[in-house]
Amino acid sequence: MPRPFLTNSDGHRPVCLRCQKASRDCQWSNRSAREQQSRSPTTPDQSLTTRARSAEYVSTKDPKKALRDPQIAAIFRYYIEHLAGWYDLNDRKRHFGDIVPSCARKNSLLLSAILAFAAASQSSSFLKKDLWDVAESYHLESVQALLQLTENPDEFRTGETLAAICLLRSYEIISQNVSCQNHLQGSYSLLASRPAGLETGLLSAGFWNYLREDITVALIEKRSLMIELSHEQLPPTIEGEDDHANRITYLLGKVINRCLDQDASPLEHHEWHSLSGELGTWRASLPASFEPIGTPGLYGQSSFPCLWTVSGWHASSLQYYHTALAILSVAEPMQTTMNTLQQIDRINDFEKKLDHHAIQVSALAVFSNSAPVWVNSFGPISFCGPWLRDSRRIHELIEETQRWGSKTGWPVMSIVESLSRSGTIG
C-alpha cells in the first residue's frame, strides 16, 4: 500500500508519497467537492452538465427502489452470475460474489459501481450502445459519491468503499484504456491507513483485488505499481490455498516494484538471490493440488502443452510465479568476466528460460476455459507472451487473447499488437 500520505491543515487533498517521489501529479484535484461535481470524472475539462443522462437512468440513492427496475435488476444479476467470479478468483470465501451483492442492497455507492461495471462489460461484450449510456451514468454517480465520502474519512474507510473502487477501476479499464486512473488512486490512498494483512473480510478481499488490478496494468505498461507494498500485508499464516495465491501476488508485486521502476538502480547480486529465494520457497511450500495436470489432446490440437488445474487460483498463482521468474531473468546481474562464447551461451540460456516461462503462462490460460483466469492472465501474457520463440504459438495466443477479450469486454488491442510484433520478428 502507499506509505502514509501527507496532509496539510489548510484543507488540501492528501498526496501519496509514491507520486511525490516520482514527481508526478497525484490524481486528486484541489477543487472543492462542489467544483468537482461540475467536472467530468474522466476528462476534467468536460462539463458534466453536457453529458445527458440515459433515459433509463434510475438513481441508486435508494437501492431498494432502484432494484425494482427490471433493467437495473438484470444488470445487477449479470454481475452476480458472470462478473463476480473475476474478483473471487483467489478467494475461497467469495466476498465479491456473496457479500458484495448483499451489501449493495443497502449501499448506494457499491450498487452504482456494480451497475457501472456490469453495464460497461455487457456493452463491450455485446456491443449494446444503450448499456454504454447506462454505464456512464452510474460511473458518474459513483465518482460523485466517492468525492462526497472523502470529506468524512471515518465513513470512507470501509470494505464496501474499497470494493466499489475495485469495481470502478475495472469499469475504467473496460470503458477506456488500461492506464486510466482518474480519482481512484487518491481514493485508495485514503483507505491505506492500516495494513491490509491485519484486516479480514471485505477490506482484505478488496486489497488483494486492487493489487491484482494494479499488477495487470503495470505488466502491460512495463512499469512499477501505483502502490507501495510492505511485509505487514502478507497473511501471517497460511490457512488455506487462497493464502498461497495471495502470497505469490505479493511477491510478484514486490518484484515488479523493484525491477520495473524506471528510476531504480540495477539489482545487486544479493538482492537477486534474495528475491529468487523467496520465489523458490513459495514454490516448494505448495501442496500437491497446485500441480497442473497434463492431458495431451484434451481440448483438441494446440501448439501448447495441455496444462490445466482444478481451481482458478492454482492457474493464476503459477502464472504469477512464472511471470516473476521471467522478470528476474531479465533483471539478473551480469558477470563482467565472461568472454564472447560464454556470453553467447548466456544469451541462449536466457532465451530458453523466457520461452519456458511464456509457454507455462500461456498454456495455463489457453486451457483454463475460465473468464476469471483469462482476465487475470492478460498482464502476465502481455509481459511474457512476446518472449515465445515459436511463431505458431504466438499466432495461437493472439487468437485466444482476441477471443477472450471479446468474451470479457477487456481491451486487449495493446497486448495483441505486442504479440504481433513478436511474431513478425520471429
Side-chain angles (χ1 to χ4, degrees):
M1 284 187 183
R3 298 177 184 129
F5 49 79
L6 305 177
T7 55
N8 299 318
S9 58
D10 57 3
H12 286 171
R13 295 288 189 186
V15 178
C16 64
L17 292 188
R18 175 171 281 278
C19 291
Q20 184 185 59
K21 176 182 176 182
S23 299
R24 63 185 172 216
D25 291 334
C26 210
Q27 298 299 323
W28 287 102
S29 168
N30 287 329
R31 295 190 301 272
S32 66
R34 183 182 300 274
E35 290 174 314
Q36 283 280 8
Q37 291 175 5
S38 69
R39 299 286 187 173
S40 165
T42 54
T43 50
D45 293 329
Q46 178 186 5
S47 172
L48 291 178
T49 58
T50 64
R51 181 187 292 177
R53 291 286 196 185
S54 168
E56 295 80 14
Y57 172 77
V58 178
S59 173
T60 62
K61 289 183 178 179
D62 183 346
K64 185 176 180 179
K65 179 180 178 181
L67 287 170
R68 292 196 192 106
D69 182 276
Q71 183 186 40
I72 301 310
I75 297 171
F76 185 62
R77 288 191 61 174
Y78 184 85
Y79 163 78
I80 296 171
E81 296 169 2
H82 300 283
L83 302 177
W86 296 15
Y87 300 90
D88 288 333
L89 173 64
N90 292 351
D91 183 4
R92 71 183 188 276
K93 294 183 179 179
R94 293 174 41 87
H95 284 90
F96 276 76
D98 296 335
I99 306 301
V100 165
S102 295
C103 292
R105 297 182 64 182
K106 297 179 289 184
N107 186 305
S108 60
L109 168 61
L110 195 49
L111 179 58
S112 63
I114 288 175
L115 296 177
F117 167 48
S121 177
Q122 290 182 81
S123 177
S124 297
S125 300
F126 308 124
L127 301 179
K128 294 184 177 180
K129 178 63 170 64
D130 57 329
L131 285 178
W132 172 246
D133 294 337
V134 172
E136 281 192 316
S137 295
Y138 287 111
H139 176 253
L140 171 57
E141 186 172 68
S142 299
V143 172
Q144 289 176 331
L146 270 178
L147 290 172
Q148 292 172 358
L149 275 177
T150 59
E151 304 302 324
N152 189 338
D154 289 336
E155 293 183 7
F156 186 85
R157 294 189 182 102
T158 67
E160 289 89 343
T161 302
L162 182 51
I165 290 172
C166 291
L167 293 161
L168 291 173
R169 200 172 193 197
S170 295
Y171 163 89
E172 293 188 342
I173 290 173
I174 285 179
S175 64
Q176 298 173 64
N177 58 68
V178 294
S179 62
C180 185
Q181 298 292 325
N182 291 337
H183 303 285
L184 301 184
Q185 180 60 27
S187 297
Y188 178 79
S189 295
L190 285 176
L191 280 157
S193 60
R194 290 176 292 179
L198 303 180
E199 301 287 359
T200 58
L202 196 49
L203 268 172
S204 179
F207 165 74
W208 292 112
N209 271 285
Y210 191 93
L211 177 55
R212 291 207 314 275
E213 288 177 322
D214 208 7
I215 285 173
T216 297
V217 178
L219 289 173
I220 291 173
E221 297 189 341
K222 311 298 186 292
R223 61 160 173 80
S224 58
L225 304 178
M226 295 294 290
I227 61 176
E228 298 280 3
L229 293 172
S230 71
H231 190 73
E232 293 175 314
Q233 290 153 355
L234 276 172
T237 59
I238 300 295
E239 297 179 356
E241 288 191 344
D242 52 348
D243 288 329
H244 287 288
N246 289 334
R247 185 169 289 269
I248 191 60
T249 302
Y250 167 87
L251 291 177
L252 174 57
K254 184 177 176 180
V255 169
I256 289 173
N257 274 353
R258 179 61 185 89
C259 299
L260 300 187
D261 186 337
Q262 71 175 65
D263 298 322
S265 59
L267 280 184
E268 301 286 345
H269 284 281
H270 70 90
E271 290 182 285
W272 188 88
H273 286 293
S274 176
L275 290 170
S276 298
E278 287 185 89
L279 292 172
T281 299
W282 176 85
R283 186 65 178 87
S285 72
L286 293 182
S289 56
F290 273 76
E291 290 297 328
I293 302 170
T295 312
L298 177 63
Y299 293 118
Q301 296 298 315
S302 172
S303 59
F304 290 101
C306 181
L307 300 176
W308 58 282
T309 60
V310 297
S311 173
W313 63 52
H314 297 153
S316 65
S317 296
L318 294 172
Q319 286 178 319
Y320 274 9
Y321 168 72
H322 284 285
T323 302
L325 288 178
I327 295 173
L328 286 182
S329 294
V330 177
E332 184 176 2
M334 293 182 60
Q335 296 181 20
T336 58
T337 57
M338 285 186 179
N339 62 31
T340 303
L341 294 179
Q342 288 173 325
Q343 288 282 19
I344 292 174
D345 289 339
R346 180 185 182 276
I347 292 172
N348 288 333
D349 182 60
F350 170 74
E351 291 181 345
K352 287 179 182 178
K353 284 181 180 179
L354 291 175
D355 181 59
H356 169 72
H357 297 313
I359 290 172
Q360 297 296 306
V361 165
S362 303
L364 288 165
V366 168
F367 296 108
S368 69
N369 198 32
S370 164
V373 170
W374 262 100
V375 168
N376 204 67
S377 297
F378 288 134
I381 285 173
S382 178
F383 188 89
C384 297
W387 295 103
L388 288 168
R389 300 200 293 181
D390 187 331
S391 61
R392 294 173 305 165
R393 287 173 173 163
I394 293 174
H395 294 149
E396 181 178 345
L397 185 59
I398 288 173
E399 291 179 358
E400 289 295 306
T401 299
Q402 290 174 323
R403 183 166 74 91
W404 282 97
S406 177
K407 291 180 71 170
T408 62
W410 229 86
V412 298
M413 185 56 64
S414 64
I415 303 173
V416 169
E417 290 176 351
S418 178
L419 293 170
S420 297
R421 287 194 297 271
S422 175
T424 301
I425 295 172

